[in-house]
Amino acid sequence: MTFLDFKNYPFWINIMVFALSAGAVWFAGTRLSRYADTISRQTGIGQAMIGLLLVGGITSLPEIAVTGTSAFTGNAALAVNNVLGGVAMQVVILAAADAAIGRDALTRVVADPMLLLQGALCAMLLTFVAAAVIVGDVLFFGIGAWPWSILAVFLVSLRMIAKSQGRLPWRADAMARSGRPDDSQEQTQPGQGNRNRGSSLGGLIAKTIAVGAAILVAGFFASRTADAFAEQTGLGASFVGAALLPISTSLPELSTVLAAVRLRSYGLAVSEIFGTNLFDVAIVFWIDAVYQGGPVLNEVGKFSTFGALLGIFLTMLYLAGLIERRDRTILRMGIDSLVVLVAYPGGLILLYQFR
């Protein structure tokens, strides 16, 4: 559709559309966190599970729309690298959440071991992407064999996480060293999340669907205008997909995570990122299904391999922090967040050399 091709519009119009779309995404994402937090309280479903299935799935909708459009029009590199760049960018959002807490390190105040499982499974899926690019792929029922494997592992991961809720064999000591409670205790304190407490579950679900639709539409327009910016500046599709488009497609995650932190639902914030990243890596299957050529992972190279490795590295930094649970902060954030903020731009510099 021609009217959606923002490359034909003047730069100032694209800026206006992007700003309006970003504002809508921010507003809807903030509401989504509140609704998800209240649904978690009313249903008794843990924040990690709500963050994965509800918030993570909804905030992945813009990526589904953008990557599907790019793949269908034959831009495989843009689609795949948008996914991989989004994974890395969304992990960086946890550093913003860490800074918003200020008093304690984020990985210190979160004590749900299910988050470790989510992060580890996401890193494992990313290794499938890197391996596929290195060894090559073959079609299987019209889709690459590696994306089929990614889909299978993703579905198994969802089952593992669902079955693990409340039944993991160990529990982090939330009171160690500082004597302060973790988010699992804080979330049950009275007076928090009262804004939606009186709403019925059906009403909350309807509101969640509404903000999900807003995120899908506004996120899609924000991403398409960001794509137009990149085209008008002359940057390559690979770097655009890994560095510029994720900024716009990660707006829902940024707003929902910061809103969750304000609610002191820290487990929901971390799970939202790890959950979204699980969904995003699984989008590779969708990209390959829409793409009209051969296996989509045969169309990318070293750039995508390094993009997957960057996502793995950043994820593992937070997994190490969740295990170590160090409370020391520098510049209002944990050491793991500080390292992520240094490693991410360093990774982008290397990616720029591969473009």
Side-chain angles (χ1 to χ4, degrees):
M1 291 179 286
T2 305
F3 74 95
L4 290 180
D5 190 358
F6 291 97
K7 300 170 188 175
N8 298 326
Y9 294 161
F11 192 73
W12 68 271
I13 291 181
N14 288 333
I15 290 178
M16 289 183 59
V17 173
F18 180 83
L20 291 173
S21 300
V25 167
W26 189 274
F27 178 83
T30 301
R31 294 299 184 275
L32 177 60
S33 281
R34 292 175 181 171
Y35 300 153
D37 181 68
T38 308
I39 289 173
S40 175
R41 298 171 193 275
Q42 290 192 6
T43 62
I45 301 174
Q47 288 188 351
M49 200 64 196
I50 288 289
L52 168 66
L53 293 180
L54 183 62
V55 185
I58 289 176
T59 54
S60 292
L61 292 175
E63 279 89 351
I64 293 175
V66 171
T67 56
T69 302
S70 299
F72 186 75
T73 56
N75 201 333
L78 185 67
V80 173
N81 289 316
N82 181 33
V83 167
L84 299 177
V87 169
M89 179 68 193
Q90 282 144 203
V91 175
V92 175
I93 290 174
L94 290 178
D98 202 342
I101 296 173
R103 182 189 63 180
D104 303 304
L106 174 63
T107 49
R108 173 65 185 85
V109 297
V110 176
D112 190 343
M114 190 185 295
L115 299 175
L116 297 173
L117 179 60
Q118 289 182 13
L121 291 171
C122 180
M124 182 171 63
L125 279 181
L126 286 169
T127 63
F128 275 53
V129 176
V133 177
I134 293 172
V135 305
D137 202 1
V138 294
L139 287 176
F140 184 72
F141 291 106
I143 299 174
W146 280 102
W148 278 111
S149 301
I150 289 171
L151 177 64
V153 173
F154 169 71
L155 295 176
V156 171
S157 297
L158 292 184
R159 179 174 174 80
M160 287 178 60
I161 293 169
K163 293 182 66 174
S164 296
Q165 181 173 338
R167 297 197 299 112
L168 289 172
W170 60 274
R171 181 176 183 274
D173 183 3
M175 301 297 291
R177 292 185 296 183
S178 70
R180 288 189 291 267
D182 64 16
D183 64 306
S184 62
Q185 293 170 309
E186 289 174 344
Q187 68 185 19
T188 60
Q189 291 180 356
Q192 297 180 25
N194 290 325
R195 180 169 301 187
N196 298 302
R197 190 179 295 275
S199 301
S200 67
L201 183 59
L204 286 170
I205 293 174
K207 292 177 181 178
T208 301
I209 293 173
V211 297
I215 287 173
L216 171 61
V217 175
F220 176 76
F221 276 93
S223 299
R224 296 305 296 168
T225 51
D227 184 19
F229 295 159
E231 186 75 16
Q232 291 166 348
T233 58
L235 295 173
S238 293
F239 189 74
V240 168
L244 295 184
L245 277 182
I247 294 175
S248 56
T249 55
S250 296
L251 286 173
E253 288 80 11
L254 179 60
S255 58
T256 54
V257 165
L258 292 182
V261 168
R262 285 194 292 270
L263 293 170
R264 299 178 74 184
S265 299
Y266 305 129
L268 178 64
V270 177
S271 180
E272 199 278 321
I273 294 299
F274 287 167
T276 298
N277 283 350
L278 265 174
F279 276 94
D280 283 358
V281 181
I283 289 175
V284 171
F285 179 86
W286 158 249
I287 294 172
D288 207 339
V290 174
Y291 184 60
Q292 300 298 307
V296 73
L297 293 177
N298 284 349
E299 304 297 323
V300 295
K302 290 191 298 183
F303 189 101
S304 297
T305 303
F306 186 82
L309 293 176
L310 179 61
I312 293 170
F313 178 70
L314 297 179
T315 301
M316 297 307 293
L317 282 173
Y318 275 116
L319 290 184
L322 287 169
I323 295 171
E324 185 187 27
R325 296 176 57 76
R326 183 185 295 272
D327 197 31
R328 182 182 176 185
T329 59
I330 301 175
L331 300 177
R332 292 178 53 87
M333 66 185 71
I335 296 175
D336 40 21
S337 292
L338 192 61
V339 175
V340 165
L341 288 181
V342 173
Y344 179 68
L348 290 184
I349 291 173
L350 291 175
L351 283 173
Y352 187 78
Q353 307 303 315
F354 288 135
R355 76 189 193 286

